[in-house]
Amino acid sequence: MSIHQAQMPLCQRDFSQLLIIDAQERLAAAMPRDELEGVTANILRLVSAAKTLDIPVIATQHNSRGLGSIIAPIREALPEAAEPTEKTAFSCCTAPGFERNISASPERRQLVVVGMEAHICIVQTVSGLQRWGYQVFVPADGIISRHPAYKQNVLERMRHCGIQVVCTESVGFEWLGDSSDEQFRAVWSLFKE
């Protein structure tokens, strides 16, 4: 069965990539503090799970001269190969060079998308990825906007248009698939509270 035939698709480690969009210093400073802490923690959980499970991680930064670098906790957690794509386009899909960072493997047609801001760069990127034929998963607790109403609006839009709105813990356990997996304890420990 192809990943596109499932009625309710699940994230599968052999098909997935993790995309972190614009989790940058000056954007982070404008976000609601309490929500930002949770979103950052969830992005870090997914980065750790992806590294443990050999899932490619891709990152972007929007106009870093104006908005700064990716925030330190996330920047330091990225795999060495995850050199962020610099962009000025709101959609990663129209940013020169972005497509080179997506895995060339034809099996990796699922993208899990997290970052900032939900109603601008996230929504424009997931729309582009969907047009490119990717199956897109957006953890609602892994994205953020300056105003909660903007995020809620975009989550409704994405659901309506076939984007899979999920949560970070679901992604981690869908990537695992089975508690007998040799990486189960390592991934499970990321989500213990």
Side-chain angles (χ1 to χ4, degrees):
M1 177 184 289
S2 82
I3 60 174
H4 296 288
Q5 292 174 334
Q7 292 299 312
M8 187 178 78
L10 300 175
C11 295
Q12 298 173 54
R13 97 172 69 172
D14 293 337
F15 298 149
S16 288
Q17 302 176 67
L18 175 63
L19 171 58
I20 304 163
I21 298 177
D22 306 345
Q24 292 169 254
E25 296 159 343
R26 291 203 181 102
L27 285 175
M31 299 300 146
R33 185 64 36 211
D34 289 349
E35 189 179 359
L36 177 64
E37 289 175 15
V39 166
T40 300
N42 286 327
I43 291 172
L44 291 171
R45 286 180 178 104
L46 289 176
V47 170
S48 293
K51 286 165 48 175
T52 298
L53 299 171
D54 295 320
I55 294 167
V57 178
I58 306 157
T60 68
Q61 48 190 25
H62 188 89
N63 183 24
S64 61
R65 274 192 259 161
L67 296 176
S69 298
I70 293 172
I71 58 175
I74 295 172
R75 185 177 65 242
E76 292 163 7
L78 291 175
E80 285 185 34
E83 182 64 32
T85 298
E86 183 71 28
K87 67 184 187 64
T88 57
F90 298 120
S91 171
C92 294
C93 298
T94 60
F98 171 72
E99 68 282 353
R100 287 191 304 267
N101 289 333
I102 296 178
S103 171
S105 170
E107 290 82 34
R108 295 212 179 262
R109 301 300 298 173
Q110 292 183 336
L111 276 155
V112 176
V113 180
V114 294
M116 303 175 193
E117 278 199 81
H119 66 290
I120 302 173
C121 294
I122 302 284
V123 73
Q124 291 186 38
T125 299
V126 301
S127 175
L129 292 170
Q130 194 177 45
R131 281 194 311 275
W132 284 0
Y134 285 92
Q135 191 173 61
V136 183
F137 295 79
V138 177
D141 55 354
I143 63 172
I144 192 169
S145 289
R146 286 165 300 182
H147 301 290
Y150 296 171
K151 175 181 164 179
Q152 285 312 118
N153 172 266
V154 84
L155 288 172
E156 290 173 24
R157 287 178 66 196
M158 288 189 288
R159 281 185 185 104
H160 181 73
C161 295
I163 302 300
Q164 301 298 310
V165 178
V166 296
C167 65
T168 56
E169 188 166 344
S170 289
V171 172
F173 282 86
E174 288 170 26
W175 280 345
L176 276 171
D178 194 312
S179 63
S180 67
D181 189 288
E182 62 185 27
Q183 300 299 338
F184 171 75
R185 287 208 175 277
V187 174
W188 171 74
S189 68
L190 298 170
F191 296 98
K192 285 193 324 187
E193 298 207 10

